[in-house]
Amino acid sequence: MKELRLGTIGSGSIVHTILDNVKLVDGIRLTAVYSRTEEKGSQLAAEYGAERVYTDLDAFLGDEEMNTVYIASPNLLHYEQTKKALLAGKHVICEKPFCTKAEQARELTALAKEKQLFLADAVPTAFLPNLEALKKELPKVGRVKLVLGNYSQYSSRYDQVLKGEVPNVFNPQYAGGCLMDINFYNVYLSTALFGKPKSFVYYPNRWGELADTSGVLVMQYDGFVGSLAGAKDTWGVNYFQIEGEKGHIYIKDGSNGIAEVRVVTKDSEETINLQENPEWRFYEVQKLTEYMLAGDYEAVYGRLNVMIDVVEILEDARKKAGILFPGE
């Protein structure tokens, strides 16, 4: 490919953030928009210069100029729409959570490899320069004993819950919930650094029959334990900390953006930040464009291994906690 000609599914705030960064990166541009309503699709297309708007998904996927689809629809639709896009011969970048079942994640990965198409889970953490710095600095703290993470972001949709409404983000019928949305980032970073834990259990706060509004996931590894908290019903200080026998690493503002990495030992203290652009999704757009235009399948496929482990952890943890999605 000489250029990523992008088509989007979804029109929420995250799509706008991605497209704001598409404007800043050479080699990628928006060409088509799919939306369930003509009005929303036309507004998005006008704002970002898309040439065509579709309200029919099959017609959208049949667009011959578009070669890459970015999917940011409700969680429960990710699997079906990603599969359709791959079968239509399109490369796919799918928002987190990639899908709701590990079996689905494995199936989509195998399909992409069979058809020699790029398939990426849109987790900005995976593409951050500070993540590579964190991996490099990790041995300095010695044998890890504790991993502590918190990501709390009060949601205006929680106000709707308090009024007796059922917004999609907390609705199990749409694969909603805090674990799938906010705490996802903590789980992803822990898995990217340490692999899949030996065991794990999720302790959620729930509102009636809704999915979790907050909760704590405890992950047991060989020799250490992780406590990962996420909340959409509270305010809090966001951070991620790795504590070892020789020191600790503190990640400012939490696991999703890794704003900076502070490494503290008995003999030294150093703060590292390799991210000149504070908008962390910029690096996701930049690196994916670079990899895909270079034909670097290994760089993209390699990240899917972490994604599959994360999906499996989320699936098992929520099911054991009694958070079930349609068909389960």
Side-chain angles (χ1 to χ4, degrees):
M1 288 186 295
K2 294 183 178 180
E3 181 183 52
L4 298 189
R5 299 187 296 274
L6 195 66
T8 59
I9 298 177
S11 54
S13 60
I14 195 169
V15 177
H16 288 262
T17 303
I18 288 292
L19 293 178
D20 285 340
N21 286 288
V22 165
K23 289 181 176 180
L24 304 177
V25 176
D26 293 333
I28 182 172
R29 65 183 174 91
L30 180 66
T31 63
V33 167
Y34 166 78
S35 178
R36 287 176 296 176
T37 67
E38 181 77 30
E39 181 182 5
K40 284 188 176 180
S42 296
Q43 288 175 351
L44 190 68
E47 183 175 353
Y48 293 101
E51 299 158 4
R52 292 171 297 284
V53 176
Y54 296 91
T55 56
D56 180 272
L57 183 60
D58 290 332
F60 168 77
L61 294 175
D63 188 305
E64 294 184 0
E65 183 182 7
M66 177 184 67
N67 57 26
T68 305
V69 177
Y70 169 71
I71 297 174
S73 53
N75 298 345
L76 203 61
L77 299 177
H78 289 182
Y79 165 71
E80 176 187 350
Q81 292 177 342
T82 297
K83 186 172 182 178
K84 272 194 164 189
L86 291 171
L87 290 173
K90 309 298 184 183
H91 305 290
V92 177
I93 303 167
C94 182
E95 263 305 326
K96 64 86 187 166
F98 187 76
C99 46
T100 61
K101 301 177 186 295
E103 180 182 0
Q104 295 173 340
R106 295 187 186 97
E107 177 191 346
L108 295 174
T109 299
L111 179 60
K113 291 179 178 179
E114 175 190 333
K115 298 181 76 66
Q116 292 188 302
L117 293 167
F118 283 107
L119 176 62
D121 56 324
V123 183
T125 310
F127 304 96
L128 293 174
N130 283 351
L131 175 61
E132 299 310 310
L134 173 57
K135 290 178 179 178
K136 183 179 178 182
E137 297 297 316
L138 193 55
K140 291 183 179 179
V141 303
R143 188 162 50 185
V144 173
K145 303 300 291 184
L146 283 175
V147 174
L148 306 171
N150 182 71
Y151 187 5
S152 297
Q153 181 175 290
Y154 189 92
S155 172
S156 61
R157 307 291 176 84
Y158 184 65
D159 291 335
Q160 295 176 245
V161 171
L162 297 178
K163 294 176 183 177
E165 300 173 15
V166 185
N168 290 350
V169 71
F170 295 120
N171 191 343
Q173 294 301 310
Y174 290 92
C178 183
L179 180 63
M180 301 293 286
D181 182 25
I182 290 290
N183 215 353
F184 172 95
Y185 289 104
N186 289 329
V187 178
Y188 189 94
L189 181 55
S190 184
T191 306
L193 293 174
F194 306 112
K196 188 178 175 183
K198 291 169 51 181
S199 62
F200 44 87
V201 61
Y202 185 50
Y203 300 98
N205 287 318
R206 301 186 66 179
W207 185 280
E209 297 300 314
L210 297 186
D212 51 315
T213 57
S214 59
V216 177
L217 180 68
V218 178
M219 301 170 69
Q220 182 69 59
Y221 286 87
D222 279 326
F224 70 95
V225 66
S227 175
L228 308 177
K232 294 178 73 67
D233 55 5
T234 69
W235 301 93
V237 176
N238 297 330
Y239 73 97
F240 197 93
Q241 183 162 285
I242 302 164
E243 300 180 11
E245 294 175 336
K246 296 182 179 180
H248 73 270
I249 294 177
Y250 180 84
I251 298 169
K252 180 183 176 183
D253 296 337
S255 54
N256 57 341
I258 314 182
E260 65 180 33
V261 177
R262 187 164 78 238
V263 186
V264 180
T265 69
K266 294 177 181 179
D267 303 315
S268 65
E269 180 173 339
E270 181 182 11
T271 298
I272 301 166
N273 180 14
L274 305 180
Q275 296 165 193
E276 295 181 3
N277 191 327
E279 174 46 64
W280 32 280
R281 291 194 180 276
F282 167 78
Y283 298 99
E284 175 188 346
V285 175
Q286 181 190 55
K287 296 306 291 185
L288 277 174
T289 301
E290 175 187 324
Y291 294 148
M292 293 170 74
L293 292 183
D296 192 346
Y297 285 90
E298 183 177 350
V300 178
Y301 286 164
R303 287 168 167 79
L304 294 177
N305 296 325
V306 176
M307 178 273 295
I308 292 171
D309 283 344
V310 170
V311 171
E312 186 169 350
I313 293 167
L314 297 178
E315 180 185 3
D316 289 351
R318 64 173 177 79
K319 284 182 176 178
K320 290 174 184 175
I323 302 169
L324 304 178
F325 297 157
E328 296 178 342

